[in-house]
Amino acid sequence: MANRQHPSVFLVLVTFLLSIYYSEQLQSSHSQTLLRIQQLLNFPAALSSWSNDTDFCNTDSNSSLSVVCYEDTITQLHIIGERRDSPLPRNFSINSFVTTLVRLPSLKVLTLVSLGIWGPLPGKIARLSSLEIVNMSSNFLYGPIPQELSSLTKLQTLIFDNNMLAETFPPWLDSLPALTVLSLKNNLFNGSLPNSLGNVENLRALSLSHNHFYGVVPDFSRLTNLQVLELDDNAFGPEFPQLGNKLVTLVLRHNRFRDGIPAELSSYYQLERLDISSNALVGPFQPGLLSLPSITYLNISGNKLTGMLFENLSCNSELDVVDLSSNLLTGSLPKCLVSNSSDRTFHYARNCLDTANQNQQPQPFCHTEALAVGILPERKKHRKVSKVVLSLGIVGGTLGGVALVLLIFFIVRRGNARTKMKNPPTRLISENAASGYTSKLLSDA
């Protein structure tokens, strides 16, 4: 009976030994790949501890370097360097770098920040089909984002901040069903945003700040999970974007929005940070924004917003920064915006408020400026319309009277002409009769 069990024991032993062998081979392969990456990145300080003897799956992690393994395969690679201002040497090849990188097929998280990587990102990076998070910020990547990334159906986070990526916004991003975070800040993108971006239902954070985008912002009201929207320093406008009410951060600073603040913004109870400064927004400022239950930062400066403030307006007690400067606000400064605490910042200069602080404009200034941009109180509008109607009535009445007089004159004159044709004047009759009489006398003679 023992002889019958011997083959099975032998088989288990062989399987065990083979698994050890292949595991060692796999570790060796991954080790060689990582050492090659170290060489291609020109031996950055963050990788100074790597050598042929390094057990990469059992190294200590720090803020600059982390290698995470699962069942002896590398699933996460985080490298943060110090090359923020200079690219790698001219002999660096991004094609060779990505070719080496895809030898780690189990990678789910890839972070390569401030390493001086330069060149157009090759589409072959999409061979890392398990990728869920990609962060290649603060490098020198240029050109478009390769369309091959659209095949990464598991991709959740895509961050390419602080590069030189250009061309238009990738229209295929709506094909990434799991995408939750998209950040392309500080690049050279241009053009308008595709309407399809409003269909990325799982999107939680969208940051497109400091690019050259322009045009109307797509309808984001269907993005019910969107919490962070940063579109500052572009040329979006003129309409204020349509948004969902779960926003926590909304930054639209320095664009070309010329619309009014939508009333529903005062019901965004999760909103903590609102910055709509340096646009051309008109219409009334909504004081309710000061008392939103989560608001801590509010900046509406550099617009043409109107409205009257009152001392008894309430503010959220956690409100740390408020900037109302350079608008057309009148009335009294709310007491909740007067603070002696150095931790809180309140700016309200260049309005027409009843205070001597922070360089206020005279009252007529705000009224004149409001007229200049077409903002009128309802009563003024009513009076203006009444005057216009009255003027049109007077002009119309005068023209009608003149036309009536001319019509009467024409009718009378025409009647007189007909009368003359039927009844010739007496003098003419007498002359004709005398002529006939004379003719008759001559004939008789």
Side-chain angles (χ1 to χ4, degrees), residues 41-48 62-66 77-86 88 111-117 135-140:
L41 292 177
N42 201 31
F43 300 95
L47 307 184
S48 59
N62 55 54
S63 59
S64 300
L65 177 63
S66 176
L77 176 62
H78 304 262
I79 308 173
I80 300 177
E82 299 176 350
R83 282 184 171 271
R84 293 182 175 87
D85 301 320
S86 61
L88 288 167
T111 302
L112 301 170
V113 174
S114 298
L115 293 169
I117 299 171
N135 183 356
M136 297 185 69
S137 298
S138 301
N139 285 292
F140 298 88

Side-chain angles (χ1 to χ4, degrees), residues 355-368:
T355 176
N357 297 329
Q358 296 196 18
N359 188 26
Q360 298 300 308
Q361 303 284 358
Q363 289 291 331
F365 173 83
C366 289
H367 178 69
T368 303

Side-chain angles (χ1 to χ4, degrees), residues 23-263:
S23 176
E24 290 178 349
Q25 289 295 312
L26 186 63
Q27 288 185 23
S28 176
S29 172
H30 289 171
S31 297
Q32 293 304 313
T33 299
L34 291 178
L35 291 174
R36 175 61 176 162
I37 288 175
Q38 179 191 37
Q39 180 184 4
L40 291 171
L41 292 177
N42 201 31
F43 300 95
L47 307 184
S48 59
S49 61
W50 284 4
S51 68
N52 290 322
D53 299 326
T54 302
D55 183 358
F56 291 100
C57 287
N58 292 288
T59 56
D60 294 332
S61 300
N62 55 54
S63 59
S64 300
L65 177 63
S66 176
V67 178
V68 178
C69 299
Y70 177 74
E71 294 182 351
D72 297 321
T73 62
I74 298 174
T75 58
Q76 297 186 33
L77 176 62
H78 304 262
I79 308 173
I80 300 177
E82 299 176 350
R83 282 184 171 271
R84 293 182 175 87
D85 301 320
S86 61
L88 288 167
R90 294 182 62 180
N91 61 355
F92 170 77
S93 170
I94 192 170
N95 188 63
S96 297
F97 177 75
V98 173
T99 300
T100 303
L101 197 62
V102 297
R103 295 174 186 166
L104 305 175
S106 299
L107 271 182
K108 294 184 176 181
V109 180
L110 176 62
T111 302
L112 301 170
V113 174
S114 298
L115 293 169
I117 299 171
W118 60 271
L121 186 65
K124 67 177 70 176
I125 195 173
R127 296 177 188 174
L128 296 171
S129 58
S130 297
L131 280 177
E132 298 177 2
I133 298 175
V134 176
N135 183 356
M136 297 185 69
S137 298
S138 301
N139 285 292
F140 298 88
L141 299 173
Y142 56 81
I145 299 177
Q147 187 173 354
E148 287 84 348
L149 291 182
S150 61
S151 65
L152 299 179
T153 56
K154 299 178 182 179
L155 192 62
Q156 301 175 17
T157 298
L158 187 61
I159 304 175
F160 284 119
D161 296 343
N162 304 308
N163 279 284
M164 299 182 293
L165 296 170
E167 299 196 14
T168 57
F169 185 88
W172 43 264
L173 282 172
D174 61 318
S175 65
L176 300 175
L179 190 65
T180 59
V181 177
L182 176 62
S183 188
L184 305 176
K185 295 186 291 187
N186 289 301
N187 278 283
L188 302 174
F189 289 104
N190 57 67
S192 58
L193 300 182
N195 290 329
S196 59
L197 188 57
N199 300 325
V200 188
E201 297 180 355
N202 292 316
L203 201 59
R204 294 180 180 272
L206 177 62
S207 299
L208 306 177
S209 307
H210 308 286
N211 278 283
H212 303 292
F213 291 118
Y214 57 80
V216 176
V217 177
D219 185 353
F220 288 154
S221 59
R222 295 187 300 275
L223 302 183
T224 55
N225 296 310
L226 190 63
Q227 297 180 358
V228 176
L229 180 60
E230 298 174 329
L231 304 179
D232 47 304
D233 286 304
N234 282 285
F236 288 117
E239 292 88 0
F240 201 96
Q242 300 180 57
L243 307 168
N245 60 5
K246 290 186 179 180
L247 281 170
V248 175
T249 297
L250 176 59
V251 182
L252 305 178
R253 181 183 66 248
H254 198 193
N255 277 281
R256 297 178 181 176
F257 296 111
R258 299 195 302 270
D259 209 350
I261 302 176

